[in-house]
Amino acid sequence: MPPHNLADTVRDCSLCAAHLPQPPRPILQWHPAARILIAGQAPGQKAHDAAKPFADASGDRLRQWLGLTTEQFYNPKLIAILPMGFCFPGRGKSGDLPPRPECAPSWRPALLHGLKHLKLTLVIGQYAKDWHLPDAQDSLTDTVAGWQQYWPDIIPLPHPSPRNNIWLTRNPWFARQLLPALQQRVQQVLAGAD
Ligand code: SF4
């Protein structure tokens, strides 16, 4: 199959439909030319309703963290957005349920293999950390605090959800040190100066 059709093939997936609260609606952004990968968790209800990744308060904060305009963020030839589960998994007692476990093993290897121009992977949250940084055995906070050891190819980040406001308050080094470096690195990659 032509590589640019891979995302459309994923969008037809219904592999774990029986476990989803709504009919499958895989949400991803992918093009072989993308230079930055945002490896997130799973779409929330708002992203599901809009059929658009990060179409919510988390996305507003993430775009601000990255220093990207909305137009840049949603340009698949610049940015790939591949959460660990492509469909909204439903809500549990304390927030959204984990990404469906069938999803990443089914689709992620081929999608990642197709990103031949990738220069930077942003690893957001625990599930993406487990996949992209399998040797990082420490907590997510410690992994993010140790971001310099993965530089410049991978940058681990906390989830930008408003639910993480307490984490951001408790870890002021994140805004003071990591965010300026992150924005500089993103601009460097988009300018092709990597
Ligand atoms: S979550 Fe992934 S595996 Fe399940 S239906 Fe959606 S795309 Fe397919």
Side-chain angles (χ1 to χ4, degrees):
M1 135 192 13
H4 59 276
N5 286 350
L6 184 54
D8 289 338
T9 304
V10 176
R11 289 187 185 101
D12 286 337
C13 178
S14 58
L15 182 66
C16 67
H19 303 285
L20 298 174
Q22 292 156 330
R25 179 179 281 179
I27 296 174
L28 64 153
Q29 176 169 299
W30 184 91
H31 187 280
R35 301 175 64 77
I36 295 176
L37 167 63
I38 297 174
Q41 183 163 315
Q45 181 71 65
K46 283 189 177 173
H48 173 91
D49 292 344
K52 195 171 183 179
F54 287 104
D56 52 18
S58 297
D60 292 339
R61 175 174 274 165
L62 182 58
R63 286 181 281 277
Q64 185 186 20
W65 282 359
L66 303 179
L68 291 178
T69 64
T70 302
E71 191 177 30
Q72 289 172 314
F73 187 86
Y74 287 117
N75 182 346
K77 293 183 180 176
L78 297 178
I79 313 284
I81 302 176
L82 301 178
M84 297 304 296
F86 293 132
C87 297
F88 171 56
R91 288 188 67 79
K93 284 183 186 152
S94 55
D96 288 355
L97 291 171
R100 285 302 310 171
E102 303 88 343
C103 199
S106 301
W107 294 114
R108 207 160 188 81
L111 289 163
L112 295 179
H113 182 72
L115 294 175
K116 302 294 188 195
H117 302 277
L118 193 63
K119 298 293 180 187
L120 174 62
T121 298
L122 306 174
V123 174
I124 297 180
Q126 184 67 44
Y127 297 100
K129 168 186 172 274
D130 290 346
W131 181 282
H132 288 275
L133 295 171
D135 295 331
Q137 297 297 321
D138 41 7
S139 70
L140 180 62
T141 296
D142 288 343
T143 300
V144 177
W147 57 278
Q148 281 155 318
Q149 65 185 291
Y150 308 109
W151 189 272
D153 303 328
I154 296 178
I155 304 178
L157 298 171
H159 199 283
S161 165
R163 296 172 67 91
N164 260 350
N165 284 348
I166 292 174
W167 188 95
L168 294 169
T169 302
R170 284 183 182 155
N171 296 281
W173 52 266
F174 176 76
R176 204 167 48 230
Q177 296 167 7
L178 203 163
L179 284 188
L182 170 67
Q183 289 171 9
Q184 197 173 21
R185 179 71 183 128
V186 167
Q187 290 306 318
Q188 184 185 42
V189 170
L190 293 188
D194 44 80

